[in-house]
Amino acid sequence: MANEELSLSEVLQIRRDKLDKLKEMGKNPFDIVKYNQTHHSKDIKDNFEAMEGKEVAIAGRLMSFRHMGKASFTDIQDRYGRIQAYVKRDEVGEEDYDLFKTYDMGDILGIEGTVFKTKTGEISVHATKVILLCKSLQPLPEKWHGLKDTELRYRQRYVDLIVNPEVKDTFLKRTQIIKEIRNYLDNIGYIEVETPILSTIASGAAARPFKTKSNALDLDLYLRIATELYLKRLIVGGFERVYEMGKDFRNEGIDIRHNPEFTMIELYQAYADYNDMMELCENLVAHCSMKVLGTTKITYQGTEIDLTPPWKRITMVDSVKQYSNVDFNEIKTDEAAREMAKQLKIVDELKKDLKDCTKGDILNAAFEAFVEEHLIQPTFIIDYPVDISPLTKQQPGDPTMTERFEAFIFAREIGNAYSELNDPIIQKERFDQQANEKELGDDEAYATDDDFVNSLEVGMPPTGGMGIGIDRIVMFLTDAASIRDVILFPTMKPQA
């Protein structure tokens, strides 16, 4: 280890010595403020017939070189990929060629020259001028075959993007997916809005918030856990179709599916219900898959998944009956449900003491224990208990159930939607019940938002609403095993 550290130290020193020599020669690359880059690698390769013999100026990172006496071949990597440059001493001049031969992997170069094709058929640039635009003082990963240490990849994403082309492709696809989501919603009459990230109340979801403070106002504030309550205020105000895509923050566990800071889209449509949201969800996901991948049949972690609408729909009660042989429609009381929880051995999975659990709490726990793992193909689980759905409209004729669904792919929830509760009296009662849950120890219970109740008293039309986890959609469409693979800079502990 000592020798390796010494070797790295020597490499670092050599690069700094080279920089010092350049400064002495009056060729400090960090003094350069601009370079007129006329073309990228893709432009040249895609249009070679028209570009052959034309003068170009390319720029990018030096990724490989082969020095052969009076001439060299080098690969330059720009935003679109790599292109070869042929550098000959007689063309660039002896002094500049000798300097060029001292450049290191990772240095950023500007190369002017003409487009040609080598004897082996590789499209290249025949250099007439080479300029060092930035000296890389850190070596790229060993042998430049890629950064393999997962932890280091997340910490040094800038290096990961340089040496692992598939990583860059993932994030280019992420950008494309987000663009397509916006395009789809904009084209059907939705408008994008922005709502506060800081609020005096953290509500709209069952989650533990991050807390901060405004010094100017001497006020405790929370990072938002959802955008729901603000967006529904806009429905009240007359915006009939709204969405917001942005960051939410939940002070919870970190694993391959969860990051404390994540990207969510929430959308709300007046005069619609959860059936409309189901149709919108499946069509939106299929649209993104077709636009980005050219198909609605994807392979995720070795499993083929068909995103083609329509997706399967099944009630929570029926799904639990299918996989546990227990029909919760036959369970009439909370006491009977508690006994069933013992028989199903799911007591430890409940979020509160068994004595405080309702039939709805236990039905949901049974679903999580017996059903979720089987939901590989896209599936809507519909009709959730009112006990766990405080912002949702009840099923007509069944006050114990709501018009709510969650969308699952590969046993993972990707979206949550309701026929939104718009009765202010019932909403206030639901908030009061959630306050009681919080007193019983549920730190993820919804916080009461009196101003939101006031907005409902002004009047909100029947509304369908939905939230979709963008990171999870990107995971499926890029075959990423972990959410950290689709977040450029995931939350990490500082290095010791």
Side-chain angles (χ1 to χ4, degrees):
M1 179 63 72
N3 289 337
E4 290 178 4
E5 291 175 353
L6 179 61
S7 176
L8 176 59
S9 177
E10 287 177 344
V11 169
L12 295 175
Q13 187 58 53
I14 289 170
R15 292 193 176 214
R16 280 158 178 75
D17 290 343
K18 288 181 179 180
L19 176 61
D20 289 340
K21 185 174 181 180
L22 288 167
K23 290 178 178 179
E24 291 172 5
M25 297 172 64
K27 296 179 179 290
N28 184 358
F30 298 116
D31 286 343
I32 297 174
V33 297
K34 182 179 178 179
Y35 181 77
N36 185 25
Q37 180 187 27
T38 65
H39 294 81
H40 289 92
S41 58
K42 188 175 187 297
D43 304 329
I44 297 169
K45 290 181 176 181
D46 289 353
N47 303 284
F48 172 71
E49 291 184 4
M51 295 292 300
E52 187 174 15
K54 296 286 181 67
E55 292 187 359
V56 297
I58 61 171
R61 196 174 294 275
L62 175 60
M63 297 302 291
S64 71
F65 50 71
R66 301 190 308 280
H67 296 311
M68 302 174 294
K70 299 179 181 180
S72 302
F73 284 99
T74 182
D75 281 334
I76 300 298
Q77 179 171 292
D78 62 21
R79 64 184 293 186
Y80 294 113
R82 297 187 186 187
I83 189 166
Q84 181 174 265
Y86 175 62
V87 184
K88 191 175 181 182
R89 186 179 67 178
D90 293 345
E91 299 287 345
V92 300
E94 185 172 350
E95 181 182 358
D96 284 350
Y97 184 71
D98 289 342
L99 272 179
F100 167 72
K101 289 176 66 176
T102 69
Y103 296 159
D104 296 301
M105 298 283 204
D107 287 351
I108 297 175
L109 307 181
I111 295 180
E112 298 174 19
T114 56
V115 177
F116 80 111
K117 188 178 286 187
T118 66
K119 293 179 181 179
T120 59
E122 185 167 355
I123 296 171
S124 308
V125 174
H126 190 139
T128 56
K129 188 175 183 179
V130 178
I131 303 171
L132 180 64
L133 301 175
C134 178
K135 183 64 185 173
S136 174
L137 300 180
Q138 289 272 358
L140 295 178
E142 184 182 2
K143 297 182 181 178
W144 305 279
H145 290 322
L147 183 61
K148 302 304 182 185
D149 184 297
T150 303
E151 184 89 359
L152 191 58
R153 284 181 50 231
Y154 298 149
R155 292 186 185 281
Q156 297 186 12
R157 183 69 83 185
Y158 41 90
V159 179
D160 193 24
L161 291 167
I162 293 169
V163 300
N164 290 324
E166 68 279 6
V167 173
K168 190 172 186 179
D169 182 64
T170 291
F171 288 103
L172 290 174
K173 282 190 171 72
R174 180 186 175 106
T175 297
Q176 190 178 356
I177 291 164
I178 289 172
K179 179 180 178 181
E180 290 301 335
I181 290 172
R182 285 192 164 104
N183 287 343
Y184 187 92
L185 293 174
D186 293 345
N187 287 336
I188 59 173
Y190 279 81
I191 62 169
E192 184 173 9
V193 297
E194 294 177 301
T195 63
I197 291 176
L198 292 174
S199 177
T200 56
I201 300 170
S203 197
R208 189 163 51 239
F210 287 94
K211 188 175 182 179
T212 185
K213 186 178 180 67
S214 167
N215 292 330
L217 298 173
D218 191 24
L219 187 67
D220 288 335
L221 294 170
Y222 300 92
L223 296 180
R224 70 184 181 196
I225 57 175
T227 57
E228 177 167 350
L229 302 190
Y230 281 111
L231 292 175
K232 287 198 278 193
R233 285 172 170 90
L234 296 180
I235 296 292
V236 172
F239 288 100
E240 294 185 359
R241 297 188 180 198
V242 296
Y243 74 90
E244 181 171 12
M245 192 182 318
K247 295 291 188 181
D248 287 342
F249 307 86
R250 298 183 184 177
N251 199 356
E252 299 170 344
I254 300 176
D255 57 32
I256 63 170
R257 291 182 288 175
H258 299 89
N259 193 67
E261 173 186 348
F262 60 97
T263 303
M264 174 78 77
I265 184 170
E266 290 197 42
L267 56 92
Y268 293 86
Q269 180 176 332
Y271 313 111
D273 67 1
Y274 78 143
N275 292 298
D276 297 300
M277 294 297 105
M278 273 185 262
E279 184 177 349
L280 178 55
C281 179
E282 63 193 3
N283 287 334
L284 178 60
V285 173
H287 167 83
C288 290
S289 182
M290 181 60 70
K291 286 290 186 178
V292 176
L293 303 178
T295 180
T296 55
K297 293 182 178 179
I298 65 173
T299 299
Y300 182 71
Q301 302 297 293
T303 298
E304 185 175 290
I305 295 174
D306 189 353
L307 301 174
T308 308
W311 296 357
K312 179 180 178 181
R313 291 154 167 77
I314 184 172
T315 68
M316 178 177 278
V317 169
D318 287 345
S319 69
V320 170
K321 182 179 178 180
Q322 178 179 345
Y323 291 105
S324 73
N325 295 318
V326 175
D327 186 352
F328 271 77
N329 283 330
E330 300 299 320
I331 298 175
K332 303 301 182 183
T333 66
D334 292 340
E335 290 77 12
R338 291 170 193 143
E339 287 302 315
M340 181 55 67
K342 295 176 184 176
Q343 294 180 36
L344 294 174
K345 299 180 180 179
I346 58 173
V347 173
D348 291 342
E349 299 182 31
L350 297 169
K351 295 181 179 179
K352 52 190 174 183
D353 290 342
L354 180 61
K355 64 181 176 59
D356 297 319
C357 288
T358 64
K359 173 185 169 181
D361 295 324
I362 293 163
L363 170 60
N364 184 61
F367 167 76
E368 292 176 351
F370 294 100
V371 181
E372 278 192 6
E373 64 180 313
H374 300 287
L375 304 178
I376 303 302
Q377 296 303 315
T379 303
F380 293 118
I381 298 297
I382 65 175
D383 304 347
Y384 277 55
V386 69
D387 315 58
I388 61 169
S389 309
L391 299 171
T392 312
K393 188 167 285 191
Q394 292 168 327
Q395 284 277 345
D398 186 354
T400 68
M401 304 299 286
T402 64
E403 291 200 339
R404 173 186 175 188
F405 75 78
E406 288 185 319
F408 288 84
I409 300 174
F410 202 73
R412 299 173 183 180
E413 179 214 337
I414 64 160
N416 186 20
Y418 318 143
S419 295
E420 302 293 340
L421 179 60
N422 62 342
D423 183 331
I425 297 171
I426 294 178
Q427 183 63 80
K428 183 62 167 66
E429 293 172 353
R430 299 267 188 90
F431 276 145
D432 290 344
Q433 177 60 35
Q434 286 292 300
N436 183 58
E437 297 286 338
K438 193 174 286 288
E439 287 183 5
L440 291 173
D442 184 356
D443 58 1
E444 294 185 354
Y446 285 58
T448 299
D449 189 332
D450 291 325
D451 182 70
F452 173 66
V453 175
N454 185 72
S455 74
L456 295 185
E457 291 179 350
V458 173
M460 186 176 81
T463 297
M466 176 166 58
I468 298 176
I470 299 298
D471 303 310
R472 291 188 183 176
I473 296 297
V474 176
M475 287 174 67
F476 287 123
L477 296 186
T478 60
D479 195 19
S482 170
I483 193 171
R484 292 185 172 192
D485 293 325
V486 299
I487 297 175
L488 278 168
F489 301 103
T491 306
M492 307 281 290
K493 280 187 176 181
Q495 285 183 296

